[in-house]
Structure formats: structure tokens, C-alpha cells
């Protein structure tokens, strides 16, 4: 027992000795700090470490007009004023200054449960002047209010260490946001040739009047699973691509395009005599493991496929010459790193974006460099750290590739750039590409639940790129509060970007809906904020100087916004009706169509979805929009791809016809119809025409769900995975069918 007591006394004396030595060491390097010649008092003295002055977080930085926070969950110091933001991870020599990685000599450190940070580095990066007086061990800081000139300027990563640091800051913040702070909450009501031809038959070899893919911007082609040129139909069926002669009296498959092995087709384009196929081509690494055999000096090799983290996400781009549709010729094949996000074709040039998630948790010290491959030339183009670009103030744990491809000249190399960051939604006009990203950042306007525990808010960061003859040139970056829902949340008009967002959350009744107008440099020009508190946007459509917005929680307000004065947009009219629209389609300048859900009050008093709802709105009087037609198909559980994909709609005012795929349910979610609904349409009227199904019985048949509808000449063509049917527009009778699988 005496031995134990003696050891305890020795331990206590050792701790006291170390503590006193630490204090004495700090006292020898004691530093006095002045801000604008006013002495700063500290509860714990600053000290010098490695020739640098370190100060406790509180005091001096607040006197410089900055707010200081300590994020204990991710061990990060956050210092922010009106113009700057500095993020510093504990014991790391890489810091984030206005979104840009910089290196410091002495890192932020914690001693005796107090956090100390380098004074000169922080003060100067906040824009202030710092002077050291060695004779008195004093630091003199002179406050400045100048705004740094390098904010939002495109940067390059530069080194492997910088790349890892950028990813680390992003991953820690992301983990904190979604693991420790936020719990996802959603609205409880939101859940996604037997017959004779009666008219003149299609003339053999002739190209007919035909429908095209429903697109957002006229003149900007979007990819889809089906295309047609008025004579031939190009369609994805399973993992194959078929070219079909559309002759209604004798339809036939004229060729099957052989896409690359392991390529799963995402969508296709037609540009003149070029067929473009874009697909996902993921490559699994085959690893070797050597197992010692029981027989001495004998090795046995075993091949096996490793878990998913050992595969490359790759986007396959194939360009075929279809001058002879019976024998398409592959002219170009590119493999781009990452997953295909979206693309557009404009005047013979393809513009596309892919994103690649970086596995920073598996092996942060070996982050792969980006690349793309010209397959036919067997050339792999690798990017260096100096080639990887990023915008300060926003990074992400993804690579984002932009690629511009000349479809008419395969000798021209694609214009490919890579950015550290990723996009979830793109919008493309004839001259610009906008990539939008949801951003989560520190928000000092949010009331803190505890001292030095920073809050966060969401915003939408927008990258703008200029498009010219296959080249994609980065232009600028902008940011607006809130988040968007899809590509229809954005629109370019007269050189300005309009963007509709929702801020806050519906579940805690803090949500509001807004529209922002940004100039050509993505600087704020005008705004309209605070629409429909407690609701969120379900659909938006821009049409010239007008903006149509649908919000919802219990009723469906359709807002008509007058944006003729970009500096002062205003809500001019509103219509409240039951239900909500998830897609708005422009009929003409005075009429719009809404597709969505009817809603009902449940037995518990909440709002639930009913059947599929279609509404025609007369907006000729901007102050007094009217619903002139409405129809509800089916009961709760009815579904159409049109609810989330505008390409599923076939609409032609000139032809007077509209169609879309639908799965209609009756009571107890039992399907009572699966196929396509077809309507007659005019400016002031919509009337039911017919419905078409590929299923002959009440039993559900996999592979026979109608996916797309087109018209060529006087015939409607409906497509499922296995079958194509042809019906007369005039008589509604089935003319022909073809097995296409």
C-alpha cells in the first residue's frame, strides 16, 4: 500500500511539474497584441511556436470584425467576416481561405483544452495589415475593409496534397451535415396487318411529318431512348439498339447496332447522318490472389471480382455514320471517366457532362487522377493535378467532366475539361451551359443552439460555360439561396439566368419560394422572395417575360410571375386549386398544361395523392389565370413517367394530338390499365381520343409497358420494351405491330 501511495505522489508531482513548465514556456514567449493601437486582453496568453504567434480563438479576431466558431464534431475552426471565410482543421497545415487551399507553417493546435490559431496568417487573409515588433514582442494589426480580388476566380488544384486537403475539408463537412445534424424529413403526402388502312398509305422511301423529343429549349436537342427522322426509328430495346423502317404497311427492323460490350445504353441522339449512342460502361478490376498450396514451392492463382469499390464508372460515347442505315459505321468511340449526367446536341456538336465520385474514405492517399480514352485510336488522355480546376468557395468529392464533341469531323479531338466538384442538374441554351449544385455552407444568421457551434444553410451554386462549335469555355460562377428541383428551375432569357428555388424546410414550416434573376456574369439583378410560406416548388416553367410556378402543401397555387422588369419581378396573379403539377408544358403564349396529381383528405385529416391529374390553364389575363379543363385518371397509385420525365410526352398542336404513357390503378392499387392515353388538343379544348395497350389481358405482362409514343405522318407509334404498335390517327384502329426485342 505504501508503494502505491508513493507512486501516486510521484505521478501528481510529475503532472504539476509539466503543467508549470508549460506555463513557464508560454510566459517566456509571451506576446502582446494591438488592434488599431488598442491592446487586446486575453484570458490565456498568446505564445510563439516555430517562429509564429499563436493566439486563442476568442478576442483578437472578433475585434477584427470576424465571427469565430469551433466545430467540435469535425475539429474545425471557422473564422468569417463580411468578405472572407477561413476554415482550419486542427493540426493540419492545409487551410481553406475563401474556398482556396493554402499552406501554413504552424497549424491550429489545442493545448489544455484551448484552441490556438496562427495570428498573422488569419489576420492577413482577412485583409488586414500585420507588423511585428521584436524589441517588445508585440504584434500591431491595422484593420482594412478591402474586398479580396481573387474570390470566385477559377483555380487549379496544383498538387496531390492540395487535392487531398480539398477532399478532406469537403468530406468532414458533408459527414457533419448529414450524420450529426440533419435528419431527412419529407412531406407525408408526397410519395415518383389485320386492319385495312382507311387513308393513303405512307409512300415508300419518303420522310413524313413526325414528332420529335419533347425538349425544354427549342433548337437544343435532348437525348432519349427513341429518335426518328420521319422514315426510320432508332430505339433502345434492352441492351441493343434497333433501326426500324416505319412503313405502316410493312414495318421491319433493318439493322441492329452493335454497341460495345458491357455498355448499357442511356440515351441516343440523331444529328444529320450521325447516330450518337451514350451508355454506361463500368469496368470491374480482376484481382489476383496467390494462395500457398500444401505442396511446397507451388503457387496457385485465383481470379475473382473484388467488391464494387474496385470498379471504374465510365461513360461510353459512340458516333455512327448512318448514311446507310442497314450498315451503320462506327466512326468514333470515347470512354469518359464517371457517370453520365446529361447532354445536348446543337448544330452538329454534342455537349455533355459526367461526374465521378471519389472514394476518399477507402484510400485517401491514392486518389485517382482523371482521364478519358479515345478507343479507336487506343489513346488514353490523363489529366495532371495542374489540369484539375475548381472554383473557390465550392468543392465536392467528385470530378465533373465537361466534353464538347464535333460530330461531323472525327479527326477533331474532343474538348474535355475536369473540375473538382460535381453537378446534379444542367440547363442548356443555344450558347450557354449551366451546371447547378446544391451547396451546404456556414450560415452565421442561423441562431446557434450552443456557443461556438456553427449553423449551416443550403444554396445553389451555378457554373456557367460558353458553348461555341464544340468548345466549352468556363465563364463564371454564381450562387443563390435555396435549392432547385430540376432543369426547368432554370432558364436563360436575353442573356440573363432566371432560377427558382425553395429555401427552408416544409416539414418544420420554414420553407419559402423564390425567383432570382442573374445578369450575364451571374450577379444578382433582381429577385422575388417569400412566395407560399410553408410550401415548396413542385414545378416551374419560363416563357419569355412570364414565369409559371406551382407550389404545394395542401392546395395547388399556380403563380404567374411578371419578369418583364428583370430588376423587379413581381407575382402578378395566382390560382388555387386542389392537387399539384410536377410538369408544366407551354402550349402557346396564353395557355399552359399541367400534369401531376389530384389530392384528397385522408381519414386521418392529412393530404394524400389521388389519381393522375391533367389541367389546361388560360393565362391570357396575367392577373387572373383560369383552369379551363381538368381530368383525373385513375385512383391513388396511378403513375406516369411524365410526372418526372418530360420526354415521355408527345405533344403537337399543329397535328392536334397529345399522348403519354400511364399505369392507371383502381381501388386497392389494382392496375386497371397500362398503356398510352391519346387526346385531341387545340388552344381552347382537350378531348379524349383513345387509349392503346400492349397487354391483351388483365394480367400484367413484363416488357409490354408502353414507354414512348411518337407520330409519323398519319400514324401513332407506341413502344414497349418488346413491341411496336401502329395505329391510325384518323380511325384509331391498329394497323400493324412488330416484335422489336
Amino acid at each position: 500500500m505504501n508503494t502505491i501511495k508513493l507512486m501516486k505522489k510521484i505521478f501528481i508531482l510529475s503532472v504539476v511539474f509539466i503543467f508549470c513548465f508549460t506555463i513557464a514556456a508560454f510566459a517566456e514567449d509571451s506576446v502582446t497584441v494591438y488592434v488599431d493601437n488598442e491592446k487586446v486582453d486575453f484570458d490565456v496568453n498568446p505564445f510563439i511556436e516555430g517562429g509564429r504567434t499563436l493566439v486563442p480563438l476568442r478576442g483578437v479576431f472578433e475585434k477584427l470584425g470576424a465571427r469565430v466558431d469551433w466545430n467540435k464534431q469535425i475539429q474545425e475552426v471557422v473564422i468569417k467576416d463580411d468578405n472572407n471565410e477561413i476554415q482550419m482543421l486542427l493540426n493540419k497545415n492545409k487551410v481553406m481561405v475563401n474556398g482556396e487551399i493554402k499552406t501554413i507553417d504552424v497549424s491550429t493546435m489545442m493545448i489544455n483544452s484551448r484552441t490556438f490559431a496562427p495570428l498573422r496568417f488569419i489576420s492577413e487573409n482577412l485583409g488586414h495589415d500585420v507588423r511585428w515588433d521584436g524589441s517588445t514582442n508585440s504584434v500591431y494589426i491595422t484593420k482594412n475593409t478591402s474586398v479580396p480580388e481573387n474570390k470566385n476566380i477559377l483555380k487549379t488544384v496544383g498538387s496531390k496534397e492540395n487535392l487531398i486537403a480539398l477532399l478532406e475539408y469537403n468530406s468532414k463537412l458533408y459527414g457533419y451535415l448529414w450524420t450529426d445534424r440533419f435528419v431527412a424529413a419529407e412531406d407525408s403526402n408526397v410519395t415518383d396487318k389485320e386492319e385495312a388502312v382507311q387513308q393513303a398509305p405512307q409512300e415508300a422511301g419518303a420522310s413524313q411529318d413526325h414528332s420529335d423529343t419533347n425538349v425544354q429549349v427549342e433548337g437544343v436537342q435532348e437525348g432519349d431512348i427513341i429518335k426518328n427522322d420521319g422514315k426510320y426509328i432508332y430505339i433502345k430495346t434492352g441492351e441493343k439498339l434497333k433501326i426500324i423502317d416505319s412503313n405502316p404497311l410493312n414495318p421491319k427492323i433493318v439493322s441492329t447496332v452493335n454497341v460495345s460490350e458491357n455498355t448499357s445504353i442511356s440515351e441516343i441522339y440523331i444529328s444529320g447522318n450521325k447516330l450518337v449512342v451514350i451508355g454506361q460502361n463500368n469496368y470491374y478490376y480482376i484481382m489476383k490472389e496467390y494462395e500457398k498450396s500444401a505442396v511446397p514451392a507451388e503457387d496457385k492463382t485465383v481470379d475473382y471480382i473484388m467488391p464494387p469499390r474496385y470498379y471504374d464508372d465510365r461513360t461510353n460515347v459512340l458516333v455512327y455514320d448512318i448514311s446507310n442505315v442497314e450498315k451503320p459505321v462506327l466512326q468514333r468511340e470515347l470512354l469518359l471517366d464517371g457517370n453520365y449526367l446529361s447532354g445536348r446536341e446543337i448544330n452538329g456538336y454534342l455537349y455533355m457532362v459526367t461526374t465521378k465520385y471519389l472514394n476518399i474514405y477507402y484510400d485517401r492517399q491514392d486518389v485517382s487522377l482523371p482521364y478519358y480514352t479515345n478507343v479507336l485510336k487506343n489513346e488514353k488522355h490523363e489529366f495532371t493535378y495542374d489540369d484539375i480546376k475548381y472554383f473557390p468557395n465550392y468543392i465536392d468529392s467528385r470530378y465533373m467532366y465537361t466534353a464538347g464533341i464535333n460530330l461531323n469531323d472525327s479527326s477533331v479531338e474532343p474538348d474535355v475539361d475536369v473540375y473538382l466538384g460535381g453537378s446534379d442538374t444542367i440547363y442548356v441554351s443555344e450558347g450557354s451551359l449551366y451546371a447547378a449544385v446544391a451547396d451546404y455552407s456556414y450560415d452565421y444568421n442561423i441562431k446557434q443552439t450552443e456557443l461556438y457551434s456553427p449553423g449551416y444553410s443550403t444554396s445553389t451554386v451555378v457554373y456557367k460555360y460558353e458553348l461555341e462549335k464544340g468548345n466549352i469555355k468556363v465563364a463564371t460562377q454564381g450562387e443563390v439561396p435555396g435549392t432547385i428541383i430540376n432543369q426547368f428551375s432554370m432558364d436563360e432569357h436575353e442573356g440573363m439566368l432566371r432560377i427558382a428555388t425553395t429555401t427552408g424546410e416544409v416539414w418544420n414550416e420554414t420553407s419559402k419560394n423564390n425567383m432570382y434573376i442573374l445578369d450575364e456574369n451571374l450577379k444578382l439583378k433582381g429577385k422575388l422572395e417569400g412566395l407560399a410560406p410553408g410550401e415548396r416548388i413542385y414545378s416551374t416553367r419560363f416563357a419569355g417575360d412570364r414565369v409559371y410556378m406551382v407550389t404545394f402543401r395542401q392546395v395547388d397555387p399556380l403563380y404567374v410571375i411578371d419578369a418583364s422588369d428583370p430588376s423587379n419581378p413581381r407575382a402578378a396573379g395566382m390560382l388555387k386549386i386542389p392537387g399539384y403539377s410536377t410538369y408544366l408544358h407551354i402550349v402557346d403564349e396564353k395557355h399552359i398544361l399541367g400534369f401531376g396529381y389530384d389530392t384528397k383528405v385522408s381519414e386521418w385529416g392529412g393530404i394524400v395523392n389521388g389519381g393522375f391529374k391533367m389541367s389546361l390553364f388560360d393565362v391570357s389575363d396575367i392577373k387572373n389565370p383560369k383552369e379551363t379543363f381538368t381530368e383525373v385518371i385513375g385512383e391513388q397509385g396511378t403513375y406516369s413517367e411524365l410526372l418526372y420525365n418530360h420526354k415521355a410526352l408527345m405533344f403537337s398542336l399543329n397535328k392536334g394530338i397529345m399522348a403519354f404513357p400511364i399505369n392507371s390503378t383502381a381501388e386497392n392499387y389494382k392496375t386497371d390499365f397500362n398503356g398510352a392515353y391519346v387526346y385531341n388538343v387545340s388552344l381552347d379544348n382537350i378531348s379524349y381520343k383513345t387509349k392503346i395497350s400492349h397487354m391483351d389481358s388483365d394480367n400484367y405482362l413484363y416488357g409490354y409497358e408502353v414507354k414512348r409514343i411518337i407520330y409519323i405522318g398519319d400514324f401513332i407509334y407506341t413502344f414497349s420494351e418488346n413491341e411496336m404498335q401502329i395505329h391510325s390517327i384518323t380511325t384509331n384502329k391498329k394497323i400493324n405491330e412488330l416484335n422489336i426485342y
Side-chain angles (χ1 to χ4, degrees):
M1 291 295 293
N2 290 335
T3 302
I4 294 175
K5 289 182 178 180
L6 179 62
M7 292 180 66
K8 285 184 177 179
K9 288 181 179 181
I10 293 172
F11 174 75
I12 293 171
L13 289 172
S14 299
V15 171
V16 171
F17 174 76
I18 293 172
F19 180 72
C20 292
F21 177 79
T22 303
I23 293 176
F26 287 176
E28 290 178 4
D29 294 331
S30 180
V31 177
T32 306
V33 179
Y34 297 87
V35 174
D36 286 344
N37 294 318
E38 179 182 345
K39 183 180 178 181
V40 180
D41 295 322
F42 297 96
D43 57 349
V44 178
N45 288 331
F47 66 95
I48 295 175
E49 173 75 17
R52 300 297 182 187
T53 302
L54 278 77
V55 297
L57 285 183
R58 298 183 64 181
V60 61
F61 302 127
E62 292 170 342
K63 283 187 176 294
L64 292 173
R67 174 162 169 174
V68 181
D69 277 306
W70 165 244
N71 191 325
K72 60 186 177 183
Q73 282 91 342
I74 61 175
Q75 301 284 285
E76 183 183 58
V77 175
V78 187
I79 302 169
K80 182 178 176 65
D81 62 16
D82 291 339
N83 301 315
N84 304 277
E85 180 178 273
I86 302 173
Q87 297 167 248
M88 312 178 77
L89 288 171
L90 199 65
N91 301 320
K92 298 288 186 179
N93 71 337
K94 296 288 186 180
V95 302
M96 188 92 76
V97 179
N98 295 324
E100 180 182 0
I101 284 293
K102 293 187 177 183
T103 305
I104 55 177
D105 297 331
V106 179
S107 60
T108 300
M109 62 181 66
M110 182 174 287
I111 301 174
N112 297 332
S113 299
R114 294 300 301 272
T115 305
F116 291 82
L119 176 62
R120 176 182 288 274
F121 180 88
I122 295 173
S123 299
E124 289 182 341
N125 279 280
L126 290 175
H128 309 300
D129 295 326
V130 180
R131 180 174 63 86
W132 167 252
D133 186 343
S135 63
T136 61
N137 262 21
S138 299
V139 178
Y140 292 88
I141 304 174
T142 303
K143 291 167 61 177
N144 289 320
T145 57
S146 58
V147 178
E149 296 180 356
N150 64 340
K151 291 184 70 175
N152 294 331
I153 296 176
L154 192 66
K155 303 290 182 182
T156 57
V157 169
S159 70
K160 178 179 179 179
E161 292 73 24
N162 286 351
L163 175 61
I164 292 171
L166 285 162
L167 294 174
E168 187 169 20
Y169 273 96
N170 176 76
S171 65
K172 283 185 176 294
L173 176 59
Y174 183 88
Y176 172 66
L177 284 168
W178 297 110
T179 304
D180 300 319
R181 291 184 63 87
F182 294 123
V183 178
E186 300 292 340
D187 280 337
S188 60
N189 60 310
V190 180
T191 23
D192 264 58
K193 288 137 265 131
E194 304 303 330
E195 301 288 346
V197 181
Q198 300 300 315
Q199 63 272 17
Q202 177 175 310
E203 184 179 340
S207 178
Q208 301 288 305
D209 170 37
H210 61 279
S211 59
D212 294 314
T213 301
N214 182 29
V215 298
Q216 181 179 8
V217 179
E218 186 177 355
V220 178
Q221 183 188 176
E222 300 181 36
D224 197 12
I225 59 174
I226 183 172
K227 295 287 180 177
N228 84 93
D229 57 17
K231 176 171 173 55
Y232 294 103
I233 299 167
Y234 310 82
I235 184 167
K236 169 189 179 295
T237 60
E239 300 306 316
K240 299 178 181 179
L241 180 68
K242 303 290 180 63
I243 302 179
I244 302 171
D245 186 333
S246 67
N247 185 345
L249 296 180
N250 186 30
K252 60 183 179 180
I253 297 172
V254 296
S255 62
T256 298
V257 180
N258 295 315
V259 299
S260 301
E261 184 180 0
N262 197 39
T263 294
S264 176
I265 300 172
S266 301
E267 58 186 33
I268 60 179
Y269 296 82
I270 294 293
S271 178
N273 64 347
K274 297 296 188 293
L275 166 67
V276 182
V277 180
I278 299 179
Q280 207 60 38
N281 185 312
N282 295 338
Y283 177 77
Y284 286 82
Y285 289 103
I286 307 298
M287 311 299 291
K288 303 282 186 182
E289 181 182 274
Y290 293 90
E291 298 179 348
K292 294 295 183 182
S293 173
V295 180
E298 180 180 337
D299 288 343
K300 181 171 62 177
T301 301
V302 179
D303 291 348
Y304 64 101
I305 298 178
M306 292 296 289
R309 61 173 176 258
Y310 287 98
Y311 72 75
D312 274 346
D313 298 315
R314 307 186 305 185
T315 298
N316 204 181
V317 183
L318 304 111
V319 182
Y320 297 86
D321 186 311
I322 51 172
S323 300
N324 181 355
V325 293
E326 295 183 1
K327 295 181 179 180
V329 177
L330 180 63
Q331 292 188 325
R332 172 178 287 193
E333 181 177 2
L334 301 173
L335 278 174
L336 292 168
D337 197 16
N339 293 294
Y340 179 61
L341 175 65
S342 191
R344 303 289 189 274
E345 186 274 339
I346 305 172
N347 298 325
Y349 299 97
L350 178 69
Y351 304 96
M352 55 182 292
V353 175
T354 69
T355 59
K356 170 66 174 284
Y357 280 94
L358 301 176
N359 195 346
I360 60 176
Y361 296 106
Y362 176 67
D363 189 353
R364 185 172 282 125
Q365 302 305 313
D366 191 25
V367 180
S368 61
L369 283 169
Y371 72 95
Y372 77 90
T373 304
N374 187 324
V375 177
L376 298 186
K377 293 183 179 181
N378 195 28
E379 295 175 350
K380 185 175 182 179
H381 299 261
E382 293 184 308
F383 295 85
T384 68
Y385 294 108
D386 287 328
D387 295 324
I388 305 172
K389 307 170 187 178
Y390 73 98
F391 282 100
N393 298 313
Y394 184 77
I395 54 102
D396 189 7
S397 300
R398 290 182 284 180
Y399 288 141
M400 181 176 75
Y401 294 79
T402 60
I405 302 171
N406 186 331
L407 298 177
N408 296 314
D409 190 347
S410 59
S411 67
V412 178
E413 285 296 318
D415 179 28
V416 182
D417 286 302
V418 62
Y419 301 83
L420 184 60
S423 178
D424 307 305
T425 309
I426 70 168
Y427 163 80
V428 183
S429 66
E430 288 195 78
S432 301
L433 183 153
Y434 298 86
V437 192
D439 182 27
Y440 306 92
S441 56
Y442 294 102
D443 187 342
Y444 295 92
N445 295 315
I446 294 178
K447 184 178 179 180
Q448 295 181 359
T449 57
E450 58 181 294
L451 187 63
Y452 296 111
S453 178
Y456 299 83
S457 64
T458 57
S459 61
T460 297
V461 178
V462 181
Y463 306 119
K464 179 182 179 182
Y465 302 88
E466 294 176 352
L467 308 178
E468 184 178 4
K469 295 182 178 180
N471 294 313
I472 304 178
K473 178 184 177 182
V474 64
T476 188
Q477 174 202 27
E479 186 173 1
V480 295
T483 56
I484 64 175
I485 53 171
N486 54 33
Q487 68 187 64
F488 290 95
S489 298
M490 296 181 283
D491 175 78
E492 186 185 82
H493 181 61
E494 297 180 349
M496 290 177 282
L497 177 70
R498 291 95 63 87
I499 181 168
T501 71
T502 298
T503 53
E505 302 291 344
V506 173
W507 61 270
N508 61 9
E509 298 185 350
T510 61
S511 63
K512 294 181 181 180
N513 304 286
N514 325 284
M515 190 198 61
Y516 300 94
I517 301 179
L518 309 179
D519 65 17
E520 60 182 6
N521 297 313
L522 297 188
K523 302 298 182 183
L524 184 65
K525 177 76 173 178
K527 62 183 180 180
L528 174 63
E529 296 180 311
L531 293 176
E535 302 182 3
R536 73 170 177 88
I537 295 174
Y538 273 74
S539 58
T540 309
R541 198 67 193 260
F542 297 82
D545 290 332
R546 292 189 183 185
V547 184
Y548 304 103
M549 179 189 296
V550 171
T551 63
F552 179 74
R553 187 171 188 187
Q554 291 185 327
V555 293
D556 176 6
L558 168 68
Y559 288 94
V560 182
I561 299 170
D562 183 356
S564 57
D565 180 0
S567 62
N568 186 33
R570 61 186 182 86
M574 181 181 70
L575 173 67
K576 287 190 175 184
I577 54 176
Y580 59 91
S581 301
T582 60
Y583 171 63
L584 295 174
H585 186 81
I586 303 298
V587 178
D588 70 350
E589 67 275 8
K590 296 180 180 180
H591 299 86
I592 59 173
L593 263 170
F595 300 92
Y597 277 119
D598 188 26
T599 55
K600 299 178 180 179
V601 178
S602 71
E603 57 184 302
W604 300 281
I607 303 297
V608 297
N609 288 338
F612 176 90
K613 183 180 180 181
M614 177 173 49
S615 298
L616 178 65
F617 300 100
D618 183 334
V619 290
S620 54
D621 182 355
I622 192 171
K623 296 180 181 180
N624 187 31
K626 298 178 181 178
E627 185 181 44
T628 59
F629 169 86
T630 184
E631 181 167 309
V632 177
I633 301 173
E635 300 291 338
Q636 188 174 10
T638 298
Y639 170 80
S640 171
E641 185 180 342
L642 177 55
L643 292 168
Y644 72 90
N645 185 1
H646 59 285
K647 300 171 189 177
L649 175 67
M650 185 272 283
F651 183 94
S652 174
L653 194 60
N654 291 334
K655 199 71 174 180
I657 195 169
M658 171 182 74
F660 49 83
I662 195 163
N663 183 80
S664 174
T665 61
E667 293 183 0
N668 299 321
Y669 297 93
K670 182 180 180 181
T671 296
D672 61 3
F673 176 78
N674 185 290
Y677 267 59
V678 186
Y679 291 84
N680 297 308
V681 295
S682 65
L683 285 178
D684 55 5
N685 187 45
I686 296 177
S687 61
Y688 170 80
K689 179 175 177 60
T690 189
K691 56 184 179 181
I692 301 169
S693 178
H694 289 194
M695 301 182 187
D696 296 329
S697 66
D698 294 335
N699 297 323
Y700 180 83
L701 299 175
Y702 180 77
Y704 289 88
E705 310 94 333
V706 172
K707 300 291 187 182
R708 292 291 186 271
I709 308 99
I710 66 172
Y711 80 82
I712 299 177
D714 293 321
F715 301 93
I716 293 177
Y717 295 73
T718 55
F719 299 86
S720 60
E721 191 75 19
N722 296 333
E723 188 175 75
M724 177 185 81
Q725 289 188 10
I726 307 172
H727 287 72
S728 165
I729 291 179
T730 304
T731 66
N732 296 333
K733 293 182 179 180
K734 185 165 76 172
I735 304 301
N736 223 318
E737 63 184 20
L738 179 69
N739 187 318
I740 60 175
Y741 188 74

